[in-house]
Amino acid sequence: MTTIRNRPDTEPLLTPSEVATLFRVDPKTVTRWAKAGKLTSIRTLGGHRRYRESEVRSLLDGNTAAIES
């Protein structure tokens, strides 16, 4: 018998390209922000970066001054 675990709804994640579109910058800039610790990234099993939508939205709503190119 297999047990199915109920996973809580996870927060939506954005790709570097989606974040770059929102900020109107190049995706490489988003990667630099993550490497500098200005934006938290999550790694997929394949090693790709993903970003929490809530964090990105909060930066867009008022904390964009904290991010510098």
Side-chain angles (χ1 to χ4, degrees), residues 20-36:
T21 300
L22 291 170
F23 282 100
R24 296 184 178 145
V25 297
D26 190 84
K28 291 286 186 183
T29 301
V30 177
T31 301
R32 272 187 255 125
W33 291 343
K35 286 182 181 180

Side-chain angles (χ1 to χ4, degrees), residues 3 6 16-17 19 21-22 24 28-29 33 36-37 46 49 52 54 58 60-61 63 66 69:
T3 304
N6 290 334
S17 179
V19 176
T21 300
L22 291 170
R24 296 184 178 145
K28 291 286 186 183
T29 301
W33 291 343
R49 292 181 191 269
R52 287 186 177 92
S54 63
S58 78
L60 279 171
D61 288 342
N63 298 327
S69 302

Side-chain angles (χ1 to χ4, degrees), residues 3-16:
T3 304
I4 298 174
R5 294 185 198 177
N6 290 334
R7 287 182 24 184
D9 290 329
T10 57
E11 183 175 357
L13 300 175
L14 302 174
T15 65

